[in-house]
Amino acid sequence: IAMESLQGHLLIASPRLPNPFARTVVLLVQHNSEGALGLVLNRRTEKVVTEIWDQISDQPCESGHPLDAGGPVPGPLMAIHTDASLSQFEVLPGVHFSVEKEHLEHLVGKHDQQLRLFVGNAGWAPGQLEGELETKSWITTPAALDDIFHSGDDLWKKVRKDRKSTRLNSSHTDISRMPSSA
C-alpha cells in the first residue's frame, strides 16, 4: 500500500528523537515514491547569505538575510518563499520552492515577499520516512504559513502545543502527479 503524500506537511520530532533531529520541525518540500525532501525550520546558522553568495552567483548581493540549517544532508542553497513568479514548484498554496540560481538572485534582492534560505536539507530514501512515521518518531500536521515563516526558536514547542497529529485522507493526494526529486 502506497502512503499518501505528506508534501506541505510539518514533521514534528517526537521528544525521544535523537540528534540531528532532536526538537526539530521539518517542512516536507517533496514526498513521493522516490523518497522525501524536507527543510528544518527551527535551526538558524550564524551566517548570512552574503557570506556564501560567491559560491552561488557572480551577481553582487548586499542581503544580510540569515541562513537556516535545513538539515544534515549537504546540497545547494534552497529557498522557501511567497513569490509565485520565481517558483520551481508550489509546496503548498502560497508557499514556493526554488533552488535555481536565477531565482535565488532575484529573491535575495527583493524585500516584498517572505523568504527563508536553507543550507543543507533532510532527505529520506524511498520507504525510510514511512518507517520513521510507523515508529512514531514524527508527528505530522499540515503546515501553515505562520509556522513556515515563524522567526522564534520556540517553533517545536509551539507546533506541538497548537496541533494534534492529523492523518490525511489518501484519496486527496495523487503521488503520481507530484514533481519528482531533482
Side-chain angles (χ1 to χ4, degrees), residues 21-38:
F21 291 110
R23 298 175 66 93
T24 58
V25 178
V26 177
L27 172 64
L28 278 178
V29 174
Q30 287 188 316
H31 179 220
N32 56 36
S33 60
E34 296 172 29
L37 171 71

Side-chain angles (χ1 to χ4, degrees), residues 1-11 28 30-36 127 129-131 133-134 139-142 165-178:
I1 270 185
M3 179 176 208
E4 66 272 9
S5 175
L6 294 174
Q7 176 172 324
H9 279 63
L10 297 178
L11 296 178
L28 278 178
Q30 287 188 316
H31 179 220
N32 56 36
S33 60
E34 296 172 29
L129 178 58
E130 291 77 2
L133 291 168
E134 283 177 24
I139 298 165
T140 64
T141 187
S165 177
T166 57
R167 291 270 177 216
L168 285 180
N169 180 335
S170 59
S171 64
H172 291 343
T173 308
D174 178 0
I175 287 182
S176 66
R177 301 178 65 91
M178 304 254 320

Side-chain angles (χ1 to χ4, degrees), residues 10 21 24 39 49 73 105 112 137 147 159 164 174:
L10 297 178
F21 291 110
T24 58
L39 295 169
V49 71
V73 181
E105 288 171 350
D112 59 346
S137 296
D147 296 328
V159 295
K164 294 182 177 157
D174 178 0

Side-chain angles (χ1 to χ4, degrees), residues 12-156:
I12 304 162
S14 88
R16 69 179 192 283
L17 199 61
N19 277 329
F21 291 110
R23 298 175 66 93
T24 58
V25 178
V26 177
L27 172 64
L28 278 178
V29 174
Q30 287 188 316
H31 179 220
N32 56 36
S33 60
E34 296 172 29
L37 171 71
L39 295 169
V40 175
L41 295 177
N42 60 334
R43 291 278 196 273
R44 273 268 149 90
T45 71
E46 298 294 316
K47 295 185 182 229
V48 295
V49 71
T50 51
E51 295 178 60
I52 64 157
W53 192 248
D54 63 346
Q55 300 167 35
I56 292 139
S57 173
D58 307 344
Q59 300 294 320
C61 174
E62 302 300 319
S63 174
H65 205 88
L67 293 173
D68 288 291
V73 181
L77 183 68
M78 298 180 185
I80 294 292
H81 57 90
T82 54
D83 186 337
S85 72
L86 296 171
S87 179
Q88 278 182 252
F89 62 86
E90 195 170 44
V91 178
L92 65 148
V95 177
H96 301 275
F97 174 86
S98 297
V99 69
E100 292 176 8
K101 181 179 116 165
E102 295 76 22
H103 290 178
L104 295 171
E105 288 171 350
H106 284 89
L107 286 165
V108 298
K110 294 177 73 169
H111 302 286
D112 59 346
Q113 89 281 333
Q114 292 183 290
L115 171 67
R116 298 205 47 193
L117 297 168
F118 297 89
V119 291
N121 62 78
W124 290 266
Q128 185 181 2
L129 178 58
E130 291 77 2
E132 291 180 18
L133 291 168
E134 283 177 24
T135 62
K136 305 219 180 319
S137 296
W138 302 99
I139 298 165
T140 64
T141 187
L145 203 65
D146 64 330
D147 296 328
I148 295 168
F149 296 103
H150 183 77
S151 58
D153 57 3
D154 60 341
L155 182 63
W156 186 75

